[in-house]
Amino acid sequence: MSQASSKKLKLMVVDDEPDNLDLLYRTFRRDFRVFKAESAVSALEVLDKEGEMAVIISDQRMPVMNGTEFLGKTVERFPETIRILLTGYTDVEDLVDAINSGKVFKYITKPWNPENLKAVVQQASETYKVLKQRTNELRRALRREEALNLVMAAIREEALDYEKMLQTIVRTIGQNFGASRSILHPIESAPAMPESFSYKAEDVIEEIGDSFPDATVAIEKVLETHQTQTTEGDIKERSWMELAIPLTVQQQPLAVLYLARLTRSGNWTDSDIKLLESVAEQAALALSQAKLYQRTQQQAQKMRAELEVARQIQHNLLRQSWGEVEGAKVQASCYPAREVGGDFFEVYVHPQGDVWLAVGDVSGKGVPAALFMASAISILRRELSQEISPEPDVVMRNLNQTMNEDLFGTNCFITMVIARYTPTTYKLVYANAGHIYPMVWNHQASPEEEPDYLKVRGVPVGILPVWKAKAGEMVLEQGDILLVTSDGITEATVVKDINSGGPPSPDSSSFLNQEGLWHLILQDTQSFDLTALLERFREYTNQIQEDDQTMLSLEVL
C-alpha cells in the first residue's frame, strides 16, 4: 500500500444492489480507502477485519438486516464513526426511527445527486477528523492530569481552592525542604486575599523570634529576570542561604516562591535546587488549575444566575393560562431537565372558536434547544393568529419552511404535534412531525380497552426542505380525552413495577413507554387530572430527570 493511500480515511459503502455499490465505490475511491459490502452481515465482517471506518454509507432497505439495525450495531464499537443512511422519501417510519435513535449523521434520498452526496461525505469526514482530534487531546490531557496528581498529591490536599492551595504549597515545600522560612508571593491576588503566604519553622522562631531576612529584594529580582536567584551571606549576625524561584506556566509568571535557611543546617545543593525547580514547576501547574477553577466557578456562578433568568423567561413564554374553553378542559405541564430546555407546548383559542394544541420537542437539551424552542413558539403563534383558522398540516409546512435552514445547518430538528379541535363539530384535525403518537380514550371506558393511537405521522421539522404529510382527523365524543406527551415521559426509566409496586422485573422494559403510561392513567378512577398523573409518574420513574418532560391534554366535557 502506498504512503498516500495509507493516509486516506476509510469509508465503507453497504448496499445490496451491485450497481449502486459500484457507483459509490467509483465516486469516492480517489479520496478515500473504500470498502464495499453487499449486506449488513458482510459489512460487520469487514469491520471485524479492518476496524474503525471514518464514514459508513448504508442503504436502508436490505434483506436480513436493514440499514438502521446495522448502523445501530456499530455505535458501541465505533462511536466516532460518522453514519449516513440511504433511503427513499417513502421510508418515513424508518427515517424517524433512525433519526430519533441518534445513530445517523445525515440521510441521502434515492436517487441521489452525486455532488450533494460528495458534499455530505466531505462534511462527515471533517466531522470525524474533529472528533478524533478532540478525543486524542482529551486522552492526552487525562494522562497529564494523572501524572500531575501523582506528583502533587501532598501539595494538593486542598484540592482546587485557590487561596488554600497557595498556603498548602508554601507550607508543604517549606517543611519538606527544611526551610527556616518560606514565602509564596502570587503575581495577581484576588480581592480580600493576602498579598503573600508564609511558613516559619517553629524551632527557628523559638530561637530567633522574627529576625528573618527581608525577602523583598530576592522576590523583585525574580520578577525582573524570571530566573531562579540564590544568595548566601550574614544577616543579623546569622548566616543564611536565600532561594527565590519563579512559578511559571507557558512563560507566564504566576507567583514567586522564596525560601530562607540558616546555613548551619546545611546549604541547598545544586540537585536540591533542581528538584525544587521541578516541584515548583508542578506546583505552578496545580496553581494554574486552581486559579482557572476559581475563575470557572465565578463564571459558573454568574452563568447560573443568568440561566435562572433565562429559565423564568422561557417559563413565561409558555402560556400560563388560556381562560375557559367552551365544552372542553385543557391541562398542560412542562418541566425542563436543565434550567432551560427544548420542550414546549401551546394552547390557543382562535376567535372563530377552534382550540389549538401543540407539543414540540427540539433535539438536544439546554440553551441551544431553548433558542429553537423560543423561535418555534413565535412562528407558531404567528401562524395560528391568522384571521381564518388554518389547517394543521399547512401550519407545520410553514413552520418547517421558516426554520429548516437554521435547523439543518446545526444538525437539529423538532418533533411536534399540532392539533385543532372544533367544539361545535367535535372534530379533531392534527399533523404530526415525527413525534410520539397522541393517545385518545374515553374516561368511561373499561380497563380492558386500549386507547386509540393517532398514527398519521411525517418526518420531523428541519429534516426535509419541504414538509410533506397528510393531516389526520377524527370526531371526538363527550368524555373523550386527548393526551400528547414528549419522549421525556415515555422514555423515563422505570424504578418500580407499575402493577405490583415492587422492583421492575428483569424481563420488562427499562423505559415507561406508552403502554406503561396507559397503566398509570388507568389507576385514576376519578376525573382525569394531569397533576395527579404526574405524581404517579414520578412515583414509578427515576427521580433524576433525564429529559425534558411535557404533557398536554384536552377533555371533551
Side-chain angles (χ1 to χ4, degrees), residues 148-166:
L148 177 62
N149 287 337
L150 291 173
V151 175
M152 300 300 299
I155 295 178
R156 296 189 60 182
E157 63 183 44
E158 297 298 342
L160 293 172
D161 187 310
Y162 181 60
E163 187 170 341
K164 290 183 179 180
M165 171 78 73
L166 290 166

Side-chain angles (χ1 to χ4, degrees), residues 66-289:
N66 64 31
T68 302
E69 294 171 335
F70 160 63
L71 293 178
K73 290 181 179 293
T74 67
V75 171
E76 185 174 352
R77 291 179 59 196
F78 308 111
E80 292 157 5
T81 295
I82 307 300
R83 299 161 185 84
I84 298 173
L85 188 68
L86 295 176
T87 184
Y89 280 108
T90 56
D91 298 332
V92 173
E93 292 300 324
D94 292 334
L95 180 57
V96 170
D97 291 340
I99 292 173
N100 285 341
S101 67
K103 301 168 186 171
V104 176
F105 173 73
K106 288 286 174 70
Y107 82 97
I108 303 295
T109 56
K110 292 182 177 181
W112 62 78
N113 181 299
E115 295 304 318
N116 289 345
L117 178 58
K118 286 183 178 180
V120 170
V121 172
Q122 180 62 32
Q123 183 184 7
S125 65
E126 293 299 326
T127 302
Y128 173 79
K129 291 177 182 177
V130 172
L131 285 175
K132 291 297 288 186
Q133 180 182 357
R134 290 179 178 176
T135 300
N136 291 336
E137 289 175 353
L138 178 60
R139 288 171 179 166
R140 287 194 295 269
L142 290 174
R143 286 195 295 266
R144 288 195 299 268
E145 180 69 15
E146 182 180 2
L148 177 62
N149 287 337
L150 291 173
V151 175
M152 300 300 299
I155 295 178
R156 296 189 60 182
E157 63 183 44
E158 297 298 342
L160 293 172
D161 187 310
Y162 181 60
E163 187 170 341
K164 290 183 179 180
M165 171 78 73
L166 290 166
Q167 186 60 57
T168 300
I169 288 174
V170 71
R171 183 186 69 251
T172 304
I173 293 180
Q175 290 175 342
N176 283 277
F177 284 87
S180 304
R181 183 190 191 189
S182 57
I183 296 174
L184 187 60
H185 177 77
I187 304 299
E188 296 179 4
S189 58
M193 190 179 78
E195 291 186 1
S196 61
F197 297 80
S198 64
Y199 158 81
K200 296 176 182 177
E202 293 183 4
D203 59 332
V204 177
I205 294 177
E206 293 176 357
E207 179 185 347
I208 67 172
D210 201 33
S211 300
F212 290 97
D214 184 1
T216 305
V217 176
I219 290 175
E220 289 179 351
K221 189 67 172 178
V222 170
L223 292 175
E224 179 183 346
T225 63
H226 303 294
Q227 300 291 329
T228 298
Q229 301 294 320
T230 57
T231 305
E232 294 182 51
D234 293 336
I235 302 172
K236 298 181 180 180
E237 301 179 353
R238 290 180 176 85
S239 297
W240 293 87
M241 181 176 185
E242 297 176 273
L243 182 64
I245 304 172
L247 274 65
T248 61
V249 174
Q250 296 180 347
Q251 298 181 345
Q252 293 296 320
L254 297 180
V256 176
L257 175 65
Y258 168 85
L259 301 121
R261 185 182 195 181
L262 287 168
T263 56
R264 68 164 186 254
S265 301
N267 288 346
W268 287 298
T269 64
D270 289 342
S271 60
D272 290 333
I273 294 174
K274 288 181 180 179
L275 180 57
L276 271 166
E277 288 176 333
S278 177
V279 172
E281 181 181 348
Q282 297 300 316
L285 290 172
L287 193 59
S288 175
Q289 285 189 337

Side-chain angles (χ1 to χ4, degrees), residues 322-546:
W322 38 83
E324 294 294 329
V325 179
E326 183 179 355
K329 178 182 178 182
V330 177
Q331 303 176 71
S333 68
C334 182
Y335 296 94
R338 301 176 183 173
E339 287 83 353
V340 292
D343 274 17
F344 62 93
F345 70 85
E346 177 63 75
V347 179
Y348 176 71
V349 181
H350 195 274
Q352 291 183 332
D354 290 340
V355 181
W356 284 89
L357 308 172
V359 171
D361 182 2
V362 182
S363 61
K365 300 180 185 69
V367 174
L371 293 174
F372 279 122
M373 166 268 191
S375 179
I377 286 183
S378 175
I379 297 168
L380 181 62
R381 289 176 177 172
R382 182 194 68 193
E383 293 292 327
L384 298 183
S385 62
Q386 299 178 42
E387 183 177 353
I388 299 176
S389 190
E391 295 297 322
D393 57 327
V394 175
V395 174
M396 194 75 78
R397 187 159 56 249
N398 292 343
L399 181 69
N400 182 82
Q401 181 179 0
T402 305
M403 300 190 68
N404 176 263
E405 184 175 345
D406 291 335
L407 288 168
F408 189 81
T410 53
N411 293 323
C412 292
F413 58 88
I414 304 175
T415 66
M416 190 173 184
V417 171
I418 301 175
R420 183 191 66 196
Y421 172 65
T422 305
T424 56
T425 62
Y426 295 95
K427 186 177 182 180
L428 177 74
V429 183
Y430 67 93
N432 188 333
H435 202 77
I436 298 168
Y437 298 136
M439 303 168 60
V440 175
W441 73 95
N442 193 283
H443 193 62
Q444 302 300 324
S446 63
E448 292 76 18
E449 296 184 32
E450 293 290 329
D452 291 325
Y453 293 102
L454 308 185
K455 294 188 176 182
V456 177
R457 183 164 70 174
V459 299
V461 172
I463 298 299
L464 299 175
V466 178
W467 190 84
K468 295 180 181 179
K470 294 180 179 180
E473 60 180 57
M474 71 179 300
V475 176
L476 302 180
E477 299 176 355
Q478 186 176 4
D480 280 352
I481 300 172
L482 167 71
L483 179 64
V484 187
T485 71
S486 66
D487 59 4
I489 299 293
T490 57
E491 294 181 4
T493 302
V494 176
V495 295
K496 187 195 297 187
D497 186 85
I498 296 175
N499 295 318
S500 67
S505 63
D507 298 333
S508 63
S509 172
S510 61
F511 294 148
L512 179 66
N513 297 323
Q514 287 189 296
E515 180 182 357
L517 179 60
W518 175 240
H519 286 298
L520 290 180
I521 293 171
L522 290 177
Q523 293 181 8
D524 187 3
T525 57
Q526 305 300 321
S527 61
F528 179 74
D529 183 74
L530 197 61
T531 301
L533 177 60
L534 277 169
E535 290 177 357
R536 292 195 300 277
F537 166 79
R538 295 195 174 96
E539 178 184 352
Y540 287 93
T541 58
N542 193 354
Q543 297 301 305
I544 300 176
Q545 188 173 337
E546 300 161 337

